[in-house]
Amino acid sequence: RSLINIDEFMSSILKGDSFTVEKIFKTSINNLIENGGTYNSMCHLFYAFRSALIIILFDKRYSDFNIELPLLNDSLPIEAQFDTLCELSIKLTLFSEEMINSNSDFNKEIIEYIENNYCDSNMYTGLVADKFGISTKQVYRIVRKCTGMGFTDYINKLRMERAQRLLKESDSPIKNISEECRFCSTNTFYKAFKKYYGMSPSKYVELIHKQNV
């Protein structure tokens, strides 16, 4: 049985998810020790991590990331060598995170995806993260960077603006508009709309009708 989930480890590095990378390191080592792992099994685990890093470093996107991956040294404590390899993995992960943050085209694509799918009832950070192969933490950061708002606040803003347009331009009942904009209930929609626009949806519709008379 594999000592680590290589796919998850590599995926976490590419997503810029340093928390999961460190967790995989610690969990794999602790599990091995708890199961009475031998020196040879520790060596096997070390080189499994090292091989995963080599595969990532072959990607041309990481050509500017200059590190030298250590080989095991029998004269040094193996725990310290795992710590060194873990630190290098986290540095590589932070490099991935920086690449994602600085890619304006990529960030724009994510925002466009959200703006085209914000009425999806399943729209949440995990969905966006899975779609673009990044961490939920990265989704939060990109949305904040591009919009100045948190993810949930931005989704609510888009839904509120859509609801306002529908109330103004259509004759649909408020209940239907609430459902179309994916609010869990009409009562929730009323509260959110009043908080956002300073009046209830029905009051807004009444105001629009008066203006059109």
Side-chain angles (χ1 to χ4, degrees):
R1 189 168 64 90
S2 176
L3 295 171
I4 61 172
N5 186 329
I6 292 293
D7 289 339
E8 183 184 7
F9 178 65
M10 294 175 64
S11 174
S12 297
I13 291 176
L14 295 172
K15 290 178 179 180
D17 186 356
S18 56
F19 174 81
T20 301
V21 169
E22 185 173 11
K23 180 181 177 182
I24 291 173
F25 249 97
K26 291 182 177 179
T27 301
S28 300
I29 295 169
N30 289 338
N31 287 344
L32 189 59
I33 293 173
E34 289 173 2
N35 291 321
T38 63
Y39 179 78
N40 283 340
S41 63
M42 294 291 283
C43 291
H44 181 70
L45 179 61
F46 181 93
Y47 281 108
F49 279 123
R50 188 177 185 277
S51 296
L53 296 178
I54 289 173
I55 292 171
I56 292 174
L57 290 171
F58 270 123
D59 188 320
K60 63 181 180 180
R61 293 176 298 173
Y62 293 87
S63 59
D64 292 333
F65 187 79
N66 298 314
I67 61 168
E68 183 176 343
L69 296 176
L71 297 170
L72 267 178
N73 187 332
D74 291 340
S75 63
L76 297 174
I78 194 167
E79 294 85 357
Q81 296 183 74
F82 268 108
D83 288 342
T84 298
L85 199 62
C86 182
E87 289 171 7
L88 291 174
S89 299
I90 291 174
K91 285 182 180 179
L92 186 59
T93 306
L94 294 175
F95 185 81
S96 297
E97 183 178 14
E98 185 179 332
M99 281 198 300
I100 293 170
N101 283 336
S102 62
N103 190 336
S104 59
D105 289 338
F106 182 69
N107 293 352
K108 182 180 178 182
E109 188 178 350
I110 289 175
I111 297 301
E112 287 179 349
Y113 175 78
I114 293 172
E115 290 177 346
N116 289 331
N117 295 278
Y118 64 88
C119 277
D120 185 337
S121 58
N122 294 316
M123 177 54 67
Y124 64 107
T125 53
L127 178 71
V128 180
D130 290 343
K131 169 73 176 177
F132 290 93
I134 59 177
S135 67
T136 54
K137 179 183 174 183
Q138 286 292 80
V139 175
Y140 281 117
R141 287 187 176 180
I142 290 169
V143 172
R144 174 76 64 180
K145 178 180 179 180
C146 294
T147 70
M149 305 175 72
F151 182 86
T152 301
D153 288 340
Y154 187 57
I155 293 295
N156 286 338
K157 173 181 178 291
L158 293 172
R159 289 176 176 174
M160 282 288 97
E161 290 174 348
R162 177 173 175 79
Q164 183 196 32
R165 288 195 302 271
L166 291 172
L167 289 169
K168 184 177 181 179
E169 299 169 2
S170 77
D171 295 323
S172 297
I174 291 176
K175 182 179 183 296
N176 292 0
I177 291 175
S178 169
E179 293 174 351
E180 185 173 340
C181 294
R182 295 298 185 268
F183 286 91
C184 58
S185 70
T186 305
N187 186 47
T188 300
F189 173 58
Y190 262 81
K191 289 180 179 179
F193 193 91
K194 187 172 184 178
K195 181 179 179 180
Y196 201 84
Y197 289 108
M199 66 182 76
S200 67
S202 55
K203 189 69 176 178
Y204 179 77
V205 171
E206 181 183 335
L207 182 64
I208 292 299
H209 287 165
K210 287 181 179 178
Q211 291 176 350
N212 293 335
V213 172

